[in-house]
Amino acid sequence: MVASLGRMEVWLDARRGGSPKTLDNDLFDRVLCTEDTAAAFSNAACLVADAEADGVCKLRSKGAIAGGSTVVSCGETQKRATALVGSVDWLHVDALAGQPMIVAENLLGAAEDSGTRVACSVAEAEDVPGLAFALRRGVDALVLEDGCDAATLEAATIAKAQRAEDAADDALARDVDARDAGPTLEAWDVVGVEEGSVSDRVALDLTSLMAHDEGCLVGSSAKALALVLGETATGGFVPPRPFRCNAGPVHSYVAMADGKTKYLSEVGAGDRVLVVSGRGSRAAEVGRAKVEPRPTLRVDLQRGGKKGNVFLQQAETVRLAGAAGDPLAVTKAKAGDRVLVAFDDRGTHVGGRISVRVDER
């Protein structure tokens, strides 16, 4: 299982004579200091470093042991740091003289599910992104020397903000999953397939890969959204694009991760769409919305008195989710086929569901 990105702290290492004026910047969450200088940082969450013993400094917070700090410069010193995992809340490592990225990845791997949080010293701006997002999890704190250059301080500030945003997005995704195992998918009949015009087609390129049975919910009516599968098929004349949902023209609605809908014309990088399969749903980020003129087909759908349609690019790689579990290429769709559709009898206003009557033809 891939660990989720959580919020990240940024610390000030003031053990070598830091100044409290540095804390005028609200960036720092904690301060590494000595017993002699702790009083100068009374307004911050201090971690007081004891004298080194066997290569490790104990870190105290309000008199209680809060962690350990050590220097990692070789395999043996890395073993010393790894031995602390599981026995301390915070493990601070200074690997500036070695290979900070490799050390961070190794310790993060060792600390997985242990309860120990990893803090790493960083001296150069170019090292910040690697540490902040190592193993798609990132360290739990970046530690900056007092008096570090402005570029490193700025990089740490940006990374902290990005991690906070990612943590909020993860919470949203978990909330979507907890709130609903996924929209209810119904088997609808294809009642006709007609040629459409050359339209401005939107391909949603996600920042994550889709499984063979996953796709996006798309339709001309917000009430009836067909499950359009990702381009995961192998063979043929083009390679698979398992990150792509060839979603249809700009007028179409697409289901978003927050429960609303958007016109495809409005979707852009950073938006989060709902990726759906018969197994449930999840949120996925859009890395690019690619708009190009393409010939289309209109697939008319019906279930009892309910009707809808979806316009899709006329291409063999564009597939609907068949009700029997098999993909249905839009170029082979015909009356009598059955596909999966998510239906809601309410219309929408600015993407949100409303109870007022809304007719879409």
Side-chain angles (χ1 to χ4, degrees):
M1 184 179 76
V2 176
S4 297
L5 286 165
R7 295 182 183 275
M8 181 183 70
E9 297 185 2
V10 176
W11 300 0
L12 173 69
D13 189 347
R15 291 175 295 176
R16 298 173 181 83
S19 169
K21 64 182 173 59
T22 310
L23 294 183
D24 291 343
N25 188 320
D26 292 331
L27 169 66
F28 299 106
D29 300 284
R30 301 174 197 258
V31 178
L32 284 178
C33 57
T34 63
E35 190 72 56
D36 294 337
T37 59
F41 299 97
S42 57
N43 293 327
C46 288
L47 293 174
V48 179
D50 290 340
E52 180 182 307
D54 297 325
V56 177
C57 297
K58 291 181 180 178
L59 300 178
R60 292 182 286 109
S61 176
K62 299 179 181 179
I65 300 299
S69 175
T70 188
V71 174
V72 174
S73 58
C74 63
E76 287 302 312
T77 52
Q78 180 175 274
K79 289 179 182 178
R80 181 177 64 200
T82 305
L84 296 173
V85 170
S87 62
V88 294
D89 182 17
W90 280 102
L91 169 58
H92 166 244
V93 293
D94 180 345
L96 300 181
Q99 297 175 304
M101 303 302 167
I102 299 299
V103 172
E105 290 181 353
N106 291 344
L107 292 178
L108 285 171
E112 185 73 24
D113 297 325
S114 70
T116 293
R117 292 176 286 178
V118 178
C120 285
S121 291
V122 59
E124 299 180 354
E126 52 264 35
D127 289 341
V128 168
L131 291 171
F133 297 94
L135 295 185
R136 297 179 63 187
R137 174 196 155 180
V139 298
D140 300 289
L142 292 174
V143 184
L144 277 59
E145 287 280 347
D146 184 65
C148 69
D149 61 69
T152 304
L153 185 63
E154 181 182 15
T157 305
I158 293 171
K160 180 180 178 180
Q162 289 174 330
R163 285 280 295 271
E165 183 178 347
D166 288 340
D169 287 344
D170 285 343
L172 172 62
R174 288 193 298 271
D175 182 56
V176 169
D177 290 340
R179 187 173 66 241
D180 192 349
T184 299
L185 298 174
E186 304 175 339
W188 281 44
D189 295 317
V190 175
V191 294
V193 180
E194 302 290 340
E195 287 191 10
S197 62
V198 173
S199 305
D200 291 327
R201 181 274 287 140
V202 181
L204 298 178
D205 290 347
L206 309 181
T207 61
S208 58
L209 301 176
M210 285 178 281
H212 71 282
D213 59 345
E214 289 186 313
C216 296
L217 294 173
V218 181
S220 297
S221 166
K223 295 181 179 181
L225 301 176
L227 179 52
V228 180
L229 298 173
E231 293 194 352
T232 61
T234 58
F237 297 96
V238 294
R241 299 285 188 266
F243 56 83
R244 173 172 295 170
C245 179
N246 194 324
V250 289
H251 79 286
S252 301
Y253 293 99
V254 62
M256 307 300 292
D258 61 2
K260 296 183 178 181
T261 59
K262 266 190 175 183
Y263 296 119
L264 284 175
S265 64
E266 297 175 341
V267 178
D271 284 338
R272 295 177 71 84
V273 297
L274 195 66
V275 171
V276 177
S277 72
R279 297 173 284 112
S281 65
R282 62 183 176 89
E285 186 174 25
V286 175
R288 171 178 55 243
K290 190 177 182 183
V291 184
E292 300 167 299
R294 292 290 186 268
T296 60
L297 294 172
R298 188 188 79 234
V299 181
D300 295 323
L301 305 167
Q302 186 171 336
R303 177 184 169 95
K306 300 179 292 189
K307 296 181 180 180
N309 68 70
V310 59
F311 283 77
L312 295 169
Q313 181 183 337
Q314 187 175 359
E316 292 79 5
T317 55
V318 181
R319 303 170 304 148
L320 291 159
D326 295 325
L328 175 65
V330 67
T331 53
K332 295 183 178 179
K334 62 186 183 305
D337 288 330
R338 291 169 66 78
V339 298
L340 295 179
V341 172
F343 178 77
D344 193 314
D345 60 3
R346 297 170 298 166
T348 61
H349 177 68
V350 197
R353 296 289 179 181
I354 57 175
S355 298
V356 177
R357 178 179 173 181
V358 177
D359 290 328
E360 294 172 309
R361 301 182 177 89

